[in-house]
């Protein structure tokens, strides 16, 4: 019996012993093998081991419309740092921009506005002009969050604006008396943190806060748990307690702190949940930390140190093995493999004598976008590597 005549389940089992190079060579043998090997089922196991293929540790596929073989090809470039750089947007005034990606739409804050840009599906490039502009703040937008239908922004004017993504007139939420440094939103729940040393809990049914929590320190970052039962705050660490604390949403009560050995001033600038039990943080102390909330007491499970002693302004993960971080000097973006302690790749985006931090970065399967003080940078990882065709 010829190999191609074997039952499909047996053929799948045989191909599971092959690496990506062997699979790629096999797909070039004949048309029937090409069609069979290109199936996602053949590449799923391999894709789980690569960086940023869109397959999470739970097996969820983030990019189902892109073939897994193609994503494995691109993943090699992420690992090897092979990309094409571009600067799709520039502006003259130095800003503290923030980014969000939603499919083929990129949202970018510039001063008091948030601009929505469409990305070309084939190239990942931005359309030159914004498709929508969301405005209403009397000062700069500090942070914003997206839901399926809403855009929620916090500004230096102390206001929180809830915009419909259809760009109707925004609803103004008032309560903070200083700039809103951070905001997160999920399923009608909004958490904000401010320089006024409070965190506030909001719902969409009222423009006044449901609860106000005294923090006794400036709040730099917040993140709502995927379960919606709790949230985490990151403060400036200028008082004698941990800058990371977990709060119960319903009771507004502190459920505990994370870590106890932060040096004074080691504020937490970015927080993200990867799962209900895993939390990533970064900040002024130059470390990325992974916290396992299942441990008792809750403690740091792993950490990665920025090698040039730079503060870390932002992080994002692919839900599996990759972390991307933005540093405070020379616009440095670093890629990390969670299975290693050393930095995997780094990209210096700015060569200006007065360097800019990477204030925010976001990526999809093929592109990374990074916002610096005067420009938006993009890295395109879709170059064809030698081993997969």
């Amino acid at each position: 019996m010829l190999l191609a005549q074997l039952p499909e389940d047996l053929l799948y089992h045989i191909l599971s012993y092959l690496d990506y190079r062997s699979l790629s060579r096999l797909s070039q043998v004949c048309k029937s093998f090409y069609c069979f090997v290109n199936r996602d089922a053949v590449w799923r196991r391999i894709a789980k081991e690569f960086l940023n293929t869109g397959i999470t540790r739970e097996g969820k596929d983030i990019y189902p419309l892109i073939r897994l073989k193609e994503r494995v090809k691109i993943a090699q470039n992420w690992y090897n740092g092979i990309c094409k750089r571009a600067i799709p947007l520039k502006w003259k005034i130095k800003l503290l921009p923030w980014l969000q990606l939603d499919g083929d739409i990129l949202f970018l804050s510039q001063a008091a506005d948030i601009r929505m840009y469409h990305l070309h599906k084939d190239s990942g490039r931005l359309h030159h002009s914004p498709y929508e502009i969301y405005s209403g703040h009397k000062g700069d937008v500090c942070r914003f969050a997206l839901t399926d239908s809403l855009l929620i922004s916090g500004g230096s004017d102390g206001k929180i604006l809830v915009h419909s993504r259809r760009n109707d007139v925004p609803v103004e939420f008032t309560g903070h008396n200083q700039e809103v440094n951070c905001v997160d939103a999920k399923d009608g729940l909004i958490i904000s943190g401010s320089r006024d040393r409070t965190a506030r809990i909001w719902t969409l049914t009222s423009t006044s806060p449901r609860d106000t929590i005294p923090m006794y320190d400036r709040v730099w970052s917040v993140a709502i748990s995927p379960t919606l039962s709790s949230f985490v705050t990151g403060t400036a660490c200028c008082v004698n307690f941990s800058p990371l604390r977990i709060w119960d949403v319903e009771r507004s009560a502190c459920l505990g702190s994370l870590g106890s050995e932060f040096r004074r001033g080691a504020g937490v600038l970015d927080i993200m949940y990867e799962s209900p039990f895993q939390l990533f943080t970064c900040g002024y102390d130059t470390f990325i930390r992974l916290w396992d909330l299942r441990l008792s007491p809750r403690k740091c499970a792993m950490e990665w140190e920025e090698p040039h002693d730079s503060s870390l302004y932002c992080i994002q993960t692919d839900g599996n093995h990759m972390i991307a971080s933005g540093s405070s000097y020379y616009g440095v973006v670093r890629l990390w493999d969670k299975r290693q302690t050393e930095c995997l790749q780094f990209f210096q985006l700015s060569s200006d004598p007065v360097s800019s931090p990477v204030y925010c970065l976001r990526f999809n399967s093929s592109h990374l976008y990074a916002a610096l003080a005067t420009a938006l940078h993009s890295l395109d990882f879709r170059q064809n590597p030698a081993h997969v065709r």
Side-chain angles (χ1 to χ4, degrees):
M1 181 179 289
L2 298 176
L3 182 63
Q5 296 174 325
L6 291 174
E8 285 194 354
D9 56 347
L10 183 56
L11 193 53
Y12 278 128
H13 182 72
I14 294 172
L15 298 189
S16 70
Y17 289 92
L18 302 184
D19 62 14
Y20 67 93
R21 292 184 178 90
S22 300
L23 283 174
S24 299
R25 290 165 183 158
L26 181 61
S27 70
Q28 299 174 35
V29 170
C30 63
K31 185 176 181 180
S32 61
F33 271 126
Y34 176 83
C35 295
F36 189 87
V37 171
N38 273 10
R39 296 179 182 180
D40 282 357
V42 174
W43 290 89
R44 182 167 291 275
R45 177 189 59 83
I46 292 175
K48 290 181 180 179
E49 300 303 315
F50 278 76
L51 299 183
N52 197 28
T53 58
I55 302 295
T56 67
R57 274 175 289 182
E58 294 77 20
K60 180 181 178 182
D61 192 344
I62 301 174
Y63 311 116
L65 298 180
I66 306 173
R67 300 296 294 268
L68 275 178
K69 179 183 177 182
E70 182 66 24
R71 282 181 264 168
V72 170
K73 290 167 59 177
I74 299 172
Q76 293 179 70
N77 292 331
W78 286 92
Y79 189 88
N80 296 316
I82 301 172
C83 64
K84 181 179 179 181
R85 305 188 187 197
I87 303 177
L89 290 175
K90 289 184 177 182
W91 48 89
K92 296 181 179 180
I93 301 173
K94 288 188 176 181
L95 303 173
L96 278 70
W98 194 252
L99 286 175
Q100 294 289 0
L101 264 181
D102 184 15
D104 59 353
I105 299 174
L106 182 141
F107 295 83
L108 170 68
S109 65
Q110 293 176 282
D113 297 330
I114 300 170
R115 299 169 185 262
M116 184 180 83
Y117 294 89
H118 280 296
L119 302 173
H120 289 278
K121 291 184 178 181
D122 296 331
S123 66
R125 295 178 182 175
L126 270 71
H127 286 265
H128 183 70
S129 300
Y131 184 75
E132 295 280 3
I133 298 177
Y134 302 88
S135 57
H137 284 286
K138 296 179 181 178
D140 288 357
V141 174
C142 299
R143 294 281 178 98
F144 64 92
L146 297 177
T147 69
D148 290 339
S149 59
L150 300 175
L151 187 155
I152 297 97
S153 61
S156 60
D157 55 4
K159 303 292 192 302
I160 294 173
L161 297 184
V162 177
H163 309 257
S164 166
R165 288 175 60 169
R166 296 186 298 271
N167 203 12
D168 298 332
V169 177
V171 178
E172 183 178 295
F173 286 43
T174 57
H176 290 292
N177 54 40
Q178 293 188 48
E179 64 190 60
V180 180
N181 293 318
C182 50
V183 64
D184 196 13
K186 284 184 175 68
D187 289 349
L189 175 68
I190 301 171
I191 307 293
S192 62
S194 171
R195 185 181 285 270
D196 66 9
R197 303 186 176 190
T198 66
R200 298 177 190 254
I201 303 174
W202 315 74
T203 63
L204 296 177
T205 58
S206 173
T207 58
S208 298
R210 194 199 75 188
D211 285 300
T212 298
I213 304 174
M215 300 295 297
Y216 309 106
D217 203 356
R218 291 165 293 174
V219 185
W220 290 139
S221 51
V222 296
I224 301 172
S225 167
T227 65
L228 303 179
S229 61
S230 62
F231 64 94
V232 177
T233 57
T235 60
C237 200
C238 293
V239 292
N240 295 322
F241 49 75
S242 171
L244 279 169
R245 285 181 286 174
I246 303 176
W247 304 86
D248 183 270
V249 168
E250 292 300 323
R251 298 183 291 115
S252 303
C254 183
L255 300 176
S257 300
L258 300 178
S260 59
E261 298 181 357
F262 289 91
R263 56 181 172 81
R264 191 172 181 84
V268 178
L269 296 176
D270 200 9
I271 303 173
M272 69 161 293
Y273 275 93
E274 191 171 74
S275 76
F277 309 107
Q278 291 185 309
L279 183 77
F280 281 87
T281 64
C282 70
Y284 285 121
D285 66 350
T286 76
F287 281 91
I288 301 169
R289 289 188 170 90
L290 167 61
W291 305 88
D292 192 332
L293 305 183
R294 295 167 294 188
L295 300 177
S296 182
R298 301 178 183 93
K299 61 181 181 180
C300 180
M302 293 184 68
E303 60 183 28
W304 299 265
E305 184 176 12
E306 212 289 334
H308 291 160
D309 199 35
S310 297
S311 300
L312 295 172
Y313 275 60
C314 54
I315 49 175
Q316 189 187 355
T317 78
D318 67 348
N320 195 8
H321 297 304
M322 192 180 86
I323 310 171
S325 64
S327 302
S328 58
Y329 293 124
Y330 301 109
V332 171
V333 169
R334 295 187 185 274
L335 303 184
W336 309 78
D337 188 330
K338 297 176 190 174
R339 298 163 292 188
Q340 305 174 18
T341 57
E342 302 296 326
C343 170
L344 180 65
Q345 299 291 343
F346 83 96
F347 308 91
Q348 183 176 328
L349 304 182
S350 173
S351 58
D352 295 339
V354 180
S355 62
S356 165
V358 177
Y359 289 110
C360 187
L361 58 81
R362 293 289 182 263
F363 60 78
N364 54 29
S365 64
S366 59
H367 288 74
L368 183 146
Y369 301 93
L372 277 64
T374 58
L376 175 70
H377 295 251
S378 72
L379 304 177
D380 181 352
F381 291 88
R382 295 172 307 146
Q383 306 298 317
N384 284 328
H387 298 298
V388 182
R389 299 188 184 280

